[in-house]
Amino acid sequence: MTQATRRERDRAGTDREIRQQARALLVNDGPAAVTLRAIARELGITAPALYRYYDSREDLIEHLRADVCDDLTVELGNDLVEIAETDHVGQVLAICRGFRGWALAHPQEFALVFASPAAAGVHCPVTTPGTAKDSFGRIFLTVAGRVLANGLPITRPGVEVPDALVPDLTTFRDELLRTIAESGVDLHPDQLGVDTAYVMLQFWVRLYGQVALEVFGQFPFPVTDPTPLFESMLADLISDVGL
Amino acid sequence: MTQATRRERDRAGTDREIRQQARALLVNDGPAAVTLRAIARELGITAPALYRYYDSREDLIEHLRADVCDDLTVELGNDLVEIAETDHVGQVLAICRGFRGWALAHPQEFALVFASPAAAGVHCPVTTPGTAKDSFGRIFLTVAGRVLANGLPITRPGVEVPDALVPDLTTFRDELLRTIAESGVDLHPDQLGVDTAYVMLQFWVRLYGQVALEVFGQFPFPVTDPTPLFESMLADLISDVGL
DNA sequence: GCGGGCCGGTAAACACCGTTCACTCGTTGG
DNA sequence: CCAACGAGTGAACGGTGTTTACCGGCCCGC
């Protein structure tokens, strides 16, 4: 038994080393440098050995994506603990800023996880629970859940939900309720209507869009410091959802 | 002379074929399939021959980007001519919808031009005039110029321009004035203030963000038809800039 | 205690890739 | 007519992902 465990631990250990090296290559030299042979070289083994751990390079990359997501999640979690338990708006700000900061600090990872044309077909977070990206989405939802549970409604006075979106939004709302409940927050279903789900969707769209634009530098002119632009957008966003 | 021209034409012809094939490979099999050898194979020549036309694969890709931008530009131009000359808001809607439609129809090209991590460092459109992306930006600005010239102010009542952005925005404003003047639209400088430049920036950020999100499918839940979402955002956007 | 099986790792090979170099050969211009 | 040019070739180098056959130490059951 102990030997079996030992073997398992060895395997898990080198597996960790593999992903660690892959990660280092990604960060330092870009995605093109994440090469089976390069990884193996750094580890002092040969490339085919990696096939004992992953089916293919693409498989390894996918696990790398998951690692990256997990890191983002814990980083956001760390940011969160520094905010007062009762400062719910502050918590929302913290994860938004944390997400942006992480994306700017890790553009390669961001592109890999959030802007790969390959990821286009994948509907990840809530639909396929257990996915790594899911855990990242969960932290957003947990905070949203806390906000809602404290009686702050997330909505906009004159919000009009397009009819065509109501079915999808209803499904989403149910997903949200379940996820929030799982995270230990008590929330009455009436506190999360379709309008709230819609506003949350819009919130994410704008946050994601701003961050993507910044990461890819797609400004129409050179911006010396994009931070004020982000903060201004964030303030708009917060007030738009009624916080 | 005619012979020299003939040679030139031959060269230009095979050059067109090269980019055409590269384009086809990009669309059909993704960016990874855009291979010098594959292109050459399709053309019935050998890979080193391509070096008579481009310095490297990266060089070819860059020209491909330019081609893609040009295509987008003419496509948007075609969409525009179908709108009544006087319907300025309609023209704005047309290019926004056209941009989205193009991006969704050509995700690979969109990723290549607008969401390549490589493009992060490049400040393209206005700063480096003559760039292909510039021509694409120009079509936006021309329409904006026409709207402004017709007395419709692009701004928001309570807009607050962050102080830190004023210098950049002023430069941007001057660029805008110059570009709009070049496009033959008569515009008094007072009709394009820093606030307008800021609002136009925000407009672009939201448009780009929404499109990128759609192209990469980064919705937090499966959306059966994202069009209503886009249209709702577009309506918001139009009313936000005071049209 | 010992033999068989499992499993991480290796070496060699295959088919690609970008890129360089020396070379051909038809066209062009003086 | 002949030299120069320039598009295209073939071979080569070093790199890549992936497959295959093989080795060798460790674990388990007999």
Side-chain angles (χ1 to χ4, degrees):
Chain A
M1 180 61 181
T2 47
Q3 291 96 343
T5 321
R6 176 139 172 61
R7 195 131 100 169
E8 287 296 312
R9 192 171 311 154
D10 276 11
R11 185 180 169 82
T14 59
D15 183 23
R16 238 195 329 276
E17 280 185 69
I18 291 171
R19 293 195 272 189
Q20 206 169 298
Q21 275 302 335
R23 187 72 176 279
L25 288 167
L26 173 64
V27 172
N28 296 330
D29 308 325
V34 183
T35 286
L36 292 187
R37 287 185 144 98
I39 297 168
R41 209 178 300 131
E42 298 289 327
L43 263 60
I45 59 175
T46 59
L50 297 176
Y51 283 79
R52 300 285 170 190
Y53 299 85
Y54 300 95
D55 288 344
S56 66
R57 180 190 130 101
E58 197 46 45
D59 186 30
L60 194 159
I61 297 279
E62 203 151 321
H63 282 81
L64 197 56
R65 274 192 252 262
D67 272 19
V68 167
C69 279
D70 285 345
D71 273 23
L72 170 56
T73 304
V74 307
E75 196 168 312
L76 290 184
N78 290 343
D79 291 355
L80 264 186
V81 298
E82 295 177 9
I83 311 292
E85 188 79 25
T86 58
D87 182 7
H88 299 98
V89 175
Q91 290 179 5
V92 174
L93 289 173
I95 50 173
C96 292
R97 291 187 181 127
F99 178 58
R100 169 184 181 251
W102 174 88
L104 291 179
H106 307 82
Q108 305 286 4
E109 286 97 326
F110 177 81
L112 191 64
V113 177
F114 290 101
S116 283
V122 188
H123 299 292
C124 332
V126 185
T127 43
T128 58
T131 304
K133 212 155 151 198
D134 186 34
S135 79
F136 152 73
R138 199 188 308 275
I139 207 165
F140 267 84
L141 300 186
T142 306
V143 172
R146 279 206 283 256
V147 170
L148 290 168
N150 273 67
L152 295 176
I154 298 179
T155 187
R156 206 171 34 232
V159 61
E160 289 173 26
V161 180
D163 289 346
L165 289 176
V166 170
D168 287 346
L169 283 171
T170 307
T171 315
F172 181 43
R173 188 195 88 118
D174 295 344
E175 287 280 357
L176 287 178
L177 280 174
R178 200 174 328 145
T179 307
I180 290 172
E182 276 171 14
S183 77
V185 178
D186 237 18
L187 185 62
H188 193 277
D190 294 348
Q191 291 175 294
L192 207 175
V194 173
D195 59 333
T196 294
Y198 183 55
V199 168
M200 286 176 65
L201 171 61
Q202 289 185 323
F203 189 100
W204 166 244
V205 171
R206 287 188 63 181
L207 178 66
Y208 170 88
Q210 173 93 23
V211 169
L213 183 123
E214 273 196 54
V215 169
F216 296 128
Q218 298 294 333
F219 297 100
F221 61 97
V223 177
T224 52
D225 181 14
T227 305
L229 186 59
F230 177 80
E231 287 298 329
S232 154
M233 186 276 316
L234 191 52
D236 264 21
L237 215 46
I238 295 290
S239 85
D240 260 20
V241 301
L243 293 181
Chain B
M1 181 58 179
T2 48
Q3 291 96 343
T5 321
R6 176 136 171 63
R7 194 131 103 169
E8 286 295 312
R9 192 171 309 152
D10 275 12
R11 188 183 166 80
T14 60
D15 182 24
R16 236 193 332 275
E17 280 185 68
I18 291 171
R19 293 195 270 188
Q20 205 170 299
Q21 273 302 334
R23 188 72 175 277
L25 287 167
L26 172 66
V27 172
N28 296 330
D29 307 326
V34 182
T35 287
L36 293 188
R37 286 187 144 100
I39 297 169
R41 209 178 301 131
E42 298 289 326
L43 264 61
I45 59 176
T46 60
L50 297 177
Y51 283 80
R52 298 285 170 190
Y53 299 85
Y54 300 96
D55 287 345
S56 65
R57 180 190 128 102
E58 197 46 44
D59 185 31
L60 193 159
I61 298 278
E62 204 151 319
H63 282 81
L64 196 58
R65 271 192 254 262
D67 271 19
V68 167
C69 278
D70 285 346
D71 273 22
L72 170 57
T73 304
V74 308
E75 196 167 313
L76 290 184
N78 290 343
D79 290 356
L80 264 186
V81 298
E82 295 178 8
I83 311 292
E85 188 78 25
T86 57
D87 183 6
H88 299 98
V89 175
Q91 290 178 6
V92 174
L93 289 173
I95 52 173
C96 292
R97 292 188 180 126
F99 179 58
R100 169 184 182 252
W102 175 86
L104 292 179
H106 307 84
Q108 303 288 4
E109 286 99 324
F110 177 81
L112 187 66
V113 177
F114 290 100
S116 282
V122 188
H123 297 294
C124 334
V126 186
T127 44
T128 58
T131 304
K133 212 155 149 196
D134 186 33
S135 79
F136 152 72
R138 201 188 306 276
I139 207 166
F140 267 88
L141 301 185
T142 306
V143 172
R146 280 206 282 257
V147 169
L148 290 167
N150 272 68
L152 295 176
I154 298 179
T155 187
R156 204 170 35 230
V159 61
E160 289 174 26
V161 181
D163 290 346
L165 288 176
V166 170
D168 286 346
L169 282 171
T170 308
T171 314
F172 180 44
R173 188 194 87 118
D174 296 344
E175 285 280 358
L176 288 179
L177 281 173
R178 199 174 329 142
T179 306
I180 290 173
E182 275 171 14
S183 77
V185 178
D186 237 16
L187 185 63
H188 193 278
D190 294 348
Q191 290 175 295
L192 206 174
V194 173
D195 58 332
T196 295
Y198 183 56
V199 169
M200 285 175 65
L201 172 60
Q202 290 185 323
F203 189 99
W204 167 245
V205 171
R206 286 187 64 182
L207 178 64
Y208 170 87
Q210 172 94 23
V211 170
L213 182 123
E214 273 196 54
V215 169
F216 297 129
Q218 297 295 335
F219 297 100
F221 60 98
V223 176
T224 51
D225 180 15
T227 305
L229 187 59
F230 177 80
E231 288 297 329
S232 154
M233 187 274 318
L234 191 53
D236 264 20
L237 215 46
I238 295 289
S239 86
D240 260 19
V241 301
L243 294 180

